[in-house]
Amino acid sequence: MLKFLFGILFFSTSIVAVAQLQDDFNDGDFSNNPSWSGDAGDFAVSAAGQLQLNAAAAGESYLSLPFPVAGNGAVEWKFFIRENFSPSSGNYARVYLFLDSVNLENSGNGYYLQFGESLANDAVELFRQDSSSSISICRASDGQIASAFSLGVKVTRDEIGVWTLWLDPAGGTNYAPAASGAEGMYTPGGFFGIACTYTSGNRQNFFFDDFFVGPLMPDTLLPELSSLIATTDRNLEVRFTEIVDPVSGGVSGNYLVNQQVGMPANAWRDTLDLSLVHLDFNFPFPPSTLLSITVSGVKDLSGNAISPGSSGDFIYYPPIQAEHADVIFTEIMFEPSSGSILPNAEFVEVLNRRSDAIPVKNWTLSDGSSTAVFPDQILLPGTYLILCAPDNTQAFASYGTVIGLNSFPGLNNDSGDQLELRDEHGRLIDKILFTNNTYHSDQKDDGGWSLERIDTSFLCEDDLNWRASSDSRGGTPGIENSVNAVHTDLIAPLVLRAYLTDSTHLLAVLNKIPDENSAAEMNNYSFYSGNQFLGHPLAFQNGQDPNKIILSLPFVAGDGIYELKLAGSFMDCPGNRADTNRAVRFAFPEPVMKGDVVINEILFHPVEGNVDFAELYNCSQKILDMKDWRVGEGDFEAPEIIISNERITEESVLLFPGDYFVITENPGKVLDEYRSENPYALFDVPDLPDFNSTEGEIVLLDPVGEILDAFIYSEEMHFPLLTNTEGVSLERLSPNLSSDAADNWHSASSLVGFASPGYKNSINFIESGSAASVKIEPEVFSPDNDGIDDLLFIYLQQNEVQTSGKVLIFDTEGRYLRTLANQSLFGSQSLLIWDGLTEEKEPVGPGMYIVYGDFYDTKGNTNHFKKVCTVAYR
């Protein structure tokens, strides 16, 4: 509407050929029509069609244009300005109304507005500049622009030098008088322009738009009705499209409501919002009834009266007591950005879902550490309310109804927060737990984008019902969300894991938040030891997190392994029933020692947009607790140096014998890329070390920092015939062989999609139970990395504890192809692996090959063997 209005002004004034300056930057250019001069390389037109400072470093930058109006006639200036920061003496803008120098950074004579100063009383101020000194002419309210702001600005100067400053704190054109002063030393002329002084942090945080400079245009626009809101059954707020005269606006006889309500007993203009008139009536409004008000005689400040008989409709909704989810969270900006089109400030948006008005006086918004109390406010049916800190209220005023809350919670970046909305009696109305993962977008989780609720009719807590805004501005405060859609949850509730807090209490972690009534029903839980039913819990209580429950056991837990099962009547909030076939084991854990658990698989070079993962495997017969275990990144050149390490989990997570456990920063992304037979084995570790994509070391540490296992990896360890190893994991062939043995690792098979997170590795390792001194398996293998018989395993069993020797590969013509071991030391049981490649890493052809070996024991005895294998490609 603002740009449209300026277009009308341009059209109407061009008819009489009166000189004026106008630029709304809709053409995406400031170098032509008109042509701004100055530090052009420091400015750009933003995606929103605004002139934006875009400097490379801290400094001062300006742009100017020839002043369009000649002579000493009355002149007006109009423009939009936004500073996305708290102004200071080192970060401020000047708009030169006119100056006799084209270079606004030089000394000159003229007048300018300044937006920013030292301390916290920042106000818009008009100055006369005399060469290098300045004198104040008039000043708006102190502190009005002490924080980030958007302003609509209008300045008028009459023929004798009387200046009037008009401001719209919402950034529009509903200007209100802010200051005035008389000063006529200099005649309009020379140059008009802008100048920015800034530090490096704010080199992109100045915005300008909708410039107009021309002869003072007489105001002929008539005021109109803008909105009507019945705040009580006898009070009506009447908003006009512009500031109204307080005398005519305060005449009760200028207003008449039908349905026998009549004229108001009192009428008065608001002391702050000068376009708003309050009306008090003696007779109440009929509830939920369409009413009409007729307004006549109300004038604006130029004496223009509203069209006689202007009318508008409104409905009075009796306020009701809100129930749970009548008002819900719909949008959260917890990582604002100075580069965003939206104000650089945190906000929370709520929506009244009811068809009734809801009073929110003394409601609270809390993140657990800070609680803000709502003022007296009526939330009308189907309307949004923007909540922010008081200093940011002005910045959000143009986006809708906004309340600045004292003690507004400071929302935690990255880690997120849990917000609760409660009524005046402390009853929970809505809550939301959010983190960086709630964006569900790697491109938007660094800030500048809000979180938006997808489906406002889906009232259960569900992280998947939220995602990053898709609006180009970064959010949609005050209006319907850009991601608005239908959300459906068909995922069954289940217990992910459980652990004993003592011998009579169990803490169970669910994959989602359960239905409260289902969670409290004791018969929905059953305990077993093997096939023996042990009973139902004696008591239930909520855990610290909404997806955790604490159950009192009907028995005293001992050394055995127990199981927990959910009944089919156990439901989540949307009504999905639990899987009755799933049983979760729990027991008392044993201390972990080196060799109990190994690093079994690692993806260190994921495809672009995906994430690393590492898989652990419990190769012991113990039940292990991963609480306070850590995963670290070692130095490839100096493996004894651990560069960084992060805690895997702060709570108990049990690892039973033969269990696989995958750690990653984003399980969802891994599962989107790879199939897993056990998706619940994937665990979210928010700060997993960033493993080098070519070579490095992964280290697993116990709670006291002792190394449980370590693996030095390199992309050179991948199957040589793979043309691209991006997105291919390295899998361990045997948990019984050393992590340091390069032959104990192989690229994951293409048959499983190049990774096997959470289940048995794709390269099948066959443990030989043969008592023969030398055994090869399989005798026919196909080294094509398809996951089926890709490798030849050579088992060596010696009577001596230690022998030395060599193992070579020949073709049937006796030609040497590959050395698998040379003067190597072997134990009583050893394993060698041939991947079907020659010494030059070339694949052998199909056919028969000879595995030949010589061994020498400590007594000087020698032993030779020759085995035949076959390479066959599918």
Side-chain angles (χ1 to χ4, degrees), residues 205-244:
N205 290 336
F206 294 76
F207 301 84
F208 306 88
D209 204 357
D210 298 317
F211 287 108
F212 173 86
V213 183
L216 181 61
M217 306 292 291
D219 177 11
T220 60
L221 294 176
L222 307 184
E224 298 177 356
L225 292 174
S226 175
S227 67
L228 301 166
I229 299 176
T231 56
T232 72
D233 64 344
R234 297 171 189 263
N235 300 102
L236 183 66
E237 291 184 349
V238 181
R239 188 178 300 278
F240 295 86
T241 55
E242 58 181 307
I243 296 172
V244 296

Short mmCIF file of all heavy atoms in Angstrom, two decimals, residues 205-244:
data_model
loop_
_atom_site.label_atom_id
_atom_site.label_comp_id
_atom_site.label_asym_id
_atom_site.label_seq_id
_atom_site.Cartn_x
_atom_site.Cartn_y
_atom_site.Cartn_z
N ASN A 205 23.24 -3.54 8.18
CA ASN A 205 22.05 -3.42 9.01
C ASN A 205 21.33 -2.09 8.91
O ASN A 205 20.54 -1.74 9.79
CB ASN A 205 22.42 -3.69 10.48
CG ASN A 205 22.76 -5.15 10.72
OD1 ASN A 205 22.33 -6.02 9.97
ND2 ASN A 205 23.54 -5.41 11.76
N PHE A 206 21.58 -1.32 7.84
CA PHE A 206 20.86 -0.08 7.59
C PHE A 206 19.97 -0.29 6.36
O PHE A 206 20.44 -0.78 5.32
CB PHE A 206 21.82 1.07 7.31
CG PHE A 206 22.69 1.48 8.48
CD1 PHE A 206 23.78 0.71 8.86
CD2 PHE A 206 22.43 2.65 9.18
CE1 PHE A 206 24.59 1.11 9.91
CE2 PHE A 206 23.23 3.05 10.23
CZ PHE A 206 24.32 2.27 10.60
N PHE A 207 18.70 0.14 6.45
CA PHE A 207 17.76 -0.04 5.35
C PHE A 207 16.98 1.27 5.14
O PHE A 207 16.58 1.93 6.11
CB PHE A 207 16.78 -1.17 5.65
CG PHE A 207 17.43 -2.51 5.89
CD1 PHE A 207 17.92 -2.85 7.14
CD2 PHE A 207 17.56 -3.41 4.85
CE1 PHE A 207 18.51 -4.08 7.36
CE2 PHE A 207 18.16 -4.65 5.06
CZ PHE A 207 18.64 -4.98 6.31
N PHE A 208 16.73 1.60 3.87
CA PHE A 208 16.00 2.82 3.52
C PHE A 208 15.03 2.50 2.38
O PHE A 208 15.29 1.61 1.56
CB PHE A 208 16.95 3.93 3.07
CG PHE A 208 18.05 4.25 4.04
CD1 PHE A 208 19.25 3.57 4.00
CD2 PHE A 208 17.87 5.24 5.01
CE1 PHE A 208 20.27 3.85 4.89
CE2 PHE A 208 18.89 5.53 5.91
CZ PHE A 208 20.09 4.84 5.86
N ASP A 209 13.94 3.26 2.31
CA ASP A 209 12.98 3.01 1.24
C ASP A 209 12.02 4.19 1.11
O ASP A 209 11.93 5.04 2.02
CB ASP A 209 12.18 1.73 1.55
CG ASP A 209 11.61 1.07 0.31
OD1 ASP A 209 11.77 1.64 -0.79
OD2 ASP A 209 11.00 0.00 0.43
N ASP A 210 11.31 4.21 -0.02
CA ASP A 210 10.19 5.12 -0.27
C ASP A 210 10.54 6.58 -0.03
O ASP A 210 9.84 7.31 0.69
CB ASP A 210 8.99 4.71 0.60
CG ASP A 210 8.50 3.32 0.27
OD1 ASP A 210 8.41 3.00 -0.92
OD2 ASP A 210 8.24 2.53 1.20
N PHE A 211 11.63 7.02 -0.66
CA PHE A 211 12.03 8.43 -0.55
C PHE A 211 11.10 9.31 -1.40
O PHE A 211 10.79 8.99 -2.55
CB PHE A 211 13.46 8.62 -1.03
CG PHE A 211 14.50 8.08 -0.09
CD1 PHE A 211 15.21 6.94 -0.40
CD2 PHE A 211 14.77 8.73 1.11
CE1 PHE A 211 16.18 6.45 0.45
CE2 PHE A 211 15.73 8.24 1.98
CZ PHE A 211 16.44 7.09 1.66
N PHE A 212 10.69 10.41 -0.82
CA PHE A 212 9.95 11.45 -1.54
C PHE A 212 10.43 12.81 -1.04
O PHE A 212 10.46 13.06 0.18
CB PHE A 212 8.44 11.32 -1.32
CG PHE A 212 7.66 12.47 -1.90
CD1 PHE A 212 7.27 12.44 -3.24
CD2 PHE A 212 7.34 13.59 -1.14
CE1 PHE A 212 6.56 13.51 -3.79
CE2 PHE A 212 6.65 14.66 -1.69
CZ PHE A 212 6.25 14.62 -3.02
N VAL A 213 10.79 13.67 -1.96
CA VAL A 213 11.12 15.06 -1.65
C VAL A 213 10.43 15.92 -2.69
O VAL A 213 10.61 15.72 -3.90
CB VAL A 213 12.64 15.32 -1.68
CG1 VAL A 213 12.92 16.76 -1.27
CG2 VAL A 213 13.39 14.36 -0.77
N GLY A 214 9.63 16.87 -2.23
CA GLY A 214 8.93 17.73 -3.17
C GLY A 214 8.20 18.84 -2.46
O GLY A 214 8.29 18.97 -1.22
N PRO A 215 7.49 19.64 -3.21
CA PRO A 215 6.71 20.72 -2.59
C PRO A 215 5.71 20.15 -1.60
O PRO A 215 5.21 19.03 -1.78
CB PRO A 215 5.99 21.36 -3.79
CG PRO A 215 6.82 20.98 -4.98
CD PRO A 215 7.38 19.64 -4.67
N LEU A 216 5.45 20.89 -0.55
CA LEU A 216 4.52 20.44 0.48
C LEU A 216 3.15 20.24 -0.14
O LEU A 216 2.57 21.17 -0.70
CB LEU A 216 4.46 21.47 1.61
CG LEU A 216 3.53 21.12 2.79
CD1 LEU A 216 3.97 19.84 3.46
CD2 LEU A 216 3.51 22.27 3.79
N MET A 217 2.68 19.00 -0.08
CA MET A 217 1.40 18.67 -0.70
C MET A 217 0.26 18.90 0.30
O MET A 217 0.32 18.41 1.42
CB MET A 217 1.41 17.20 -1.14
CG MET A 217 2.58 16.83 -2.04
SD MET A 217 2.48 17.59 -3.65
CE MET A 217 1.08 16.74 -4.34
N PRO A 218 -0.76 19.62 -0.11
CA PRO A 218 -1.90 19.80 0.80
C PRO A 218 -2.58 18.46 1.06
O PRO A 218 -2.70 17.61 0.16
CB PRO A 218 -2.82 20.76 0.03
CG PRO A 218 -2.43 20.60 -1.41
CD PRO A 218 -0.96 20.30 -1.41
N ASP A 219 -2.99 18.23 2.30
CA ASP A 219 -3.64 16.99 2.70
C ASP A 219 -5.12 17.08 2.34
O ASP A 219 -5.87 17.86 2.94
CB ASP A 219 -3.46 16.77 4.19
CG ASP A 219 -4.18 15.52 4.69
OD1 ASP A 219 -4.63 14.73 3.85
OD2 ASP A 219 -4.27 15.34 5.92
N THR A 220 -5.53 16.30 1.35
CA THR A 220 -6.94 16.26 0.96
C THR A 220 -7.57 14.90 1.21
O THR A 220 -8.74 14.69 0.87
CB THR A 220 -7.08 16.61 -0.53
OG1 THR A 220 -6.33 15.66 -1.30
CG2 THR A 220 -6.56 18.03 -0.82
N LEU A 221 -6.80 13.97 1.76
CA LEU A 221 -7.34 12.64 2.03
C LEU A 221 -8.27 12.67 3.24
O LEU A 221 -7.95 13.27 4.27
CB LEU A 221 -6.21 11.65 2.28
CG LEU A 221 -5.30 11.35 1.09
CD1 LEU A 221 -4.17 10.42 1.52
CD2 LEU A 221 -6.09 10.72 -0.05
N LEU A 222 -9.41 12.02 3.11
CA LEU A 222 -10.37 11.97 4.21
C LEU A 222 -10.03 10.82 5.14
O LEU A 222 -9.64 9.73 4.69
CB LEU A 222 -11.79 11.78 3.66
CG LEU A 222 -12.26 12.76 2.59
CD1 LEU A 222 -13.73 12.47 2.24
CD2 LEU A 222 -12.09 14.20 3.04
N PRO A 223 -10.19 11.01 6.43
CA PRO A 223 -9.99 9.88 7.35
C PRO A 223 -11.08 8.84 7.11
O PRO A 223 -12.22 9.16 6.75
CB PRO A 223 -10.10 10.51 8.73
CG PRO A 223 -10.92 11.75 8.52
CD PRO A 223 -10.58 12.25 7.14
N GLU A 224 -10.71 7.57 7.32
CA GLU A 224 -11.66 6.47 7.16
C GLU A 224 -11.56 5.54 8.37
O GLU A 224 -10.58 5.57 9.12
CB GLU A 224 -11.36 5.67 5.88
CG GLU A 224 -11.49 6.47 4.61
CD GLU A 224 -11.10 5.66 3.39
OE1 GLU A 224 -10.66 4.50 3.57
OE2 GLU A 224 -11.22 6.18 2.26
N LEU A 225 -12.59 4.72 8.53
CA LEU A 225 -12.55 3.71 9.58
C LEU A 225 -11.56 2.61 9.19
O LEU A 225 -11.57 2.13 8.05
CB LEU A 225 -13.93 3.10 9.80
CG LEU A 225 -14.99 4.03 10.41
CD1 LEU A 225 -16.34 3.32 10.43
CD2 LEU A 225 -14.59 4.46 11.81
N SER A 226 -10.72 2.22 10.13
CA SER A 226 -9.72 1.18 9.88
C SER A 226 -10.08 -0.12 10.58
O SER A 226 -10.03 -1.19 9.97
CB SER A 226 -8.34 1.64 10.35
OG SER A 226 -7.40 0.61 10.22
N SER A 227 -10.46 -0.05 11.86
CA SER A 227 -10.84 -1.27 12.59
C SER A 227 -11.74 -0.91 13.75
O SER A 227 -11.72 0.22 14.27
CB SER A 227 -9.61 -2.01 13.10
OG SER A 227 -8.93 -1.26 14.08
N LEU A 228 -12.54 -1.90 14.17
CA LEU A 228 -13.45 -1.75 15.31
C LEU A 228 -13.28 -2.96 16.21
O LEU A 228 -13.41 -4.10 15.75
CB LEU A 228 -14.90 -1.66 14.83
CG LEU A 228 -15.24 -0.51 13.87
CD1 LEU A 228 -16.60 -0.75 13.22
CD2 LEU A 228 -15.22 0.83 14.59
N ILE A 229 -12.99 -2.72 17.50
CA ILE A 229 -12.79 -3.82 18.44
C ILE A 229 -13.58 -3.53 19.72
O ILE A 229 -13.34 -2.51 20.39
CB ILE A 229 -11.30 -4.02 18.78
CG1 ILE A 229 -10.51 -4.36 17.53
CG2 ILE A 229 -11.14 -5.11 19.83
CD1 ILE A 229 -9.03 -4.48 17.77
N ALA A 230 -14.49 -4.43 20.04
CA ALA A 230 -15.24 -4.33 21.30
C ALA A 230 -14.42 -5.00 22.39
O ALA A 230 -14.30 -6.23 22.41
CB ALA A 230 -16.60 -4.98 21.16
N THR A 231 -13.85 -4.23 23.28
CA THR A 231 -12.99 -4.78 24.33
C THR A 231 -13.80 -5.29 25.52
O THR A 231 -13.35 -6.19 26.23
CB THR A 231 -11.98 -3.74 24.80
OG1 THR A 231 -12.68 -2.56 25.23
CG2 THR A 231 -11.03 -3.36 23.67
N THR A 232 -14.98 -4.70 25.75
CA THR A 232 -15.92 -5.21 26.76
C THR A 232 -17.32 -5.05 26.16
O THR A 232 -17.48 -4.61 25.02
CB THR A 232 -15.84 -4.44 28.09
OG1 THR A 232 -16.40 -3.12 27.92
CG2 THR A 232 -14.40 -4.31 28.57
N ASP A 233 -18.35 -5.35 26.96
CA ASP A 233 -19.71 -5.23 26.44
C ASP A 233 -20.18 -3.78 26.39
O ASP A 233 -21.29 -3.51 25.91
CB ASP A 233 -20.67 -6.08 27.26
CG ASP A 233 -20.79 -5.61 28.70
OD1 ASP A 233 -19.92 -4.82 29.15
OD2 ASP A 233 -21.74 -6.03 29.40
N ARG A 234 -19.34 -2.83 26.84
CA ARG A 234 -19.73 -1.42 26.78
C ARG A 234 -18.60 -0.52 26.25
O ARG A 234 -18.75 0.70 26.26
CB ARG A 234 -20.13 -0.92 28.18
CG ARG A 234 -21.36 -1.61 28.76
CD ARG A 234 -21.58 -1.25 30.22
NE ARG A 234 -22.62 -2.05 30.83
CZ ARG A 234 -23.90 -1.67 30.98
NH1 ARG A 234 -24.28 -0.48 30.55
NH2 ARG A 234 -24.78 -2.47 31.55
N ASN A 235 -17.51 -1.12 25.80
CA ASN A 235 -16.37 -0.33 25.34
C ASN A 235 -15.99 -0.74 23.91
O ASN A 235 -15.89 -1.93 23.61
CB ASN A 235 -15.15 -0.53 26.24
CG ASN A 235 -15.44 -0.10 27.67
OD1 ASN A 235 -15.67 -0.95 28.53
ND2 ASN A 235 -15.43 1.19 27.93
N LEU A 236 -15.78 0.28 23.08
CA LEU A 236 -15.44 0.04 21.69
C LEU A 236 -14.22 0.88 21.32
O LEU A 236 -14.15 2.07 21.64
CB LEU A 236 -16.61 0.42 20.78
CG LEU A 236 -16.43 0.15 19.28
CD1 LEU A 236 -16.34 -1.35 19.02
CD2 LEU A 236 -17.59 0.77 18.48
N GLU A 237 -13.25 0.24 20.66
CA GLU A 237 -12.09 0.95 20.13
C GLU A 237 -12.30 1.19 18.64
O GLU A 237 -12.51 0.25 17.87
CB GLU A 237 -10.81 0.13 20.34
CG GLU A 237 -10.39 0.02 21.79
CD GLU A 237 -9.06 -0.72 21.95
OE1 GLU A 237 -8.58 -1.31 20.94
OE2 GLU A 237 -8.50 -0.70 23.07
N VAL A 238 -12.27 2.46 18.25
CA VAL A 238 -12.47 2.84 16.86
C VAL A 238 -11.14 3.37 16.33
O VAL A 238 -10.62 4.38 16.82
CB VAL A 238 -13.56 3.92 16.73
CG1 VAL A 238 -13.77 4.29 15.26
CG2 VAL A 238 -14.86 3.45 17.37
N ARG A 239 -10.58 2.67 15.35
CA ARG A 239 -9.30 3.09 14.77
C ARG A 239 -9.55 3.67 13.38
O ARG A 239 -10.29 3.10 12.58
CB ARG A 239 -8.34 1.91 14.68
CG ARG A 239 -6.93 2.31 14.27
CD ARG A 239 -6.00 1.09 14.25
NE ARG A 239 -5.93 0.46 15.56
CZ ARG A 239 -5.15 0.88 16.54
NH1 ARG A 239 -4.38 1.95 16.37
NH2 ARG A 239 -5.13 0.25 17.70
N PHE A 240 -8.90 4.82 13.14
CA PHE A 240 -9.01 5.50 11.86
C PHE A 240 -7.72 5.28 11.05
O PHE A 240 -6.69 4.84 11.57
CB PHE A 240 -9.26 6.99 12.08
CG PHE A 240 -10.59 7.29 12.73
CD1 PHE A 240 -10.72 7.29 14.12
CD2 PHE A 240 -11.71 7.54 11.96
CE1 PHE A 240 -11.94 7.55 14.72
CE2 PHE A 240 -12.94 7.81 12.55
CZ PHE A 240 -13.05 7.80 13.94
N THR A 241 -7.80 5.62 9.77
CA THR A 241 -6.66 5.42 8.88
C THR A 241 -5.58 6.47 9.06
O THR A 241 -4.50 6.35 8.49
CB THR A 241 -7.12 5.43 7.41
OG1 THR A 241 -7.84 6.64 7.16
CG2 THR A 241 -7.99 4.22 7.11
N GLU A 242 -5.86 7.50 9.85
CA GLU A 242 -4.86 8.53 10.12
C GLU A 242 -5.16 9.17 11.46
O GLU A 242 -6.18 8.88 12.10
CB GLU A 242 -4.83 9.57 9.01
CG GLU A 242 -6.17 10.28 8.78
CD GLU A 242 -6.08 11.29 7.66
OE1 GLU A 242 -5.16 12.15 7.72
OE2 GLU A 242 -6.91 11.26 6.73
N ILE A 243 -4.27 10.02 11.90
CA ILE A 243 -4.45 10.71 13.17
C ILE A 243 -5.67 11.61 13.08
O ILE A 243 -5.89 12.31 12.08
CB ILE A 243 -3.20 11.54 13.51
CG1 ILE A 243 -2.01 10.59 13.70
CG2 ILE A 243 -3.42 12.38 14.75
CD1 ILE A 243 -0.70 11.31 13.84
N VAL A 244 -6.49 11.59 14.13
CA VAL A 244 -7.70 12.41 14.13
C VAL A 244 -7.56 13.57 15.11
O VAL A 244 -6.79 13.52 16.08
CB VAL A 244 -8.95 11.55 14.50
CG1 VAL A 244 -9.19 10.49 13.44
CG2 VAL A 244 -8.80 10.92 15.87
#
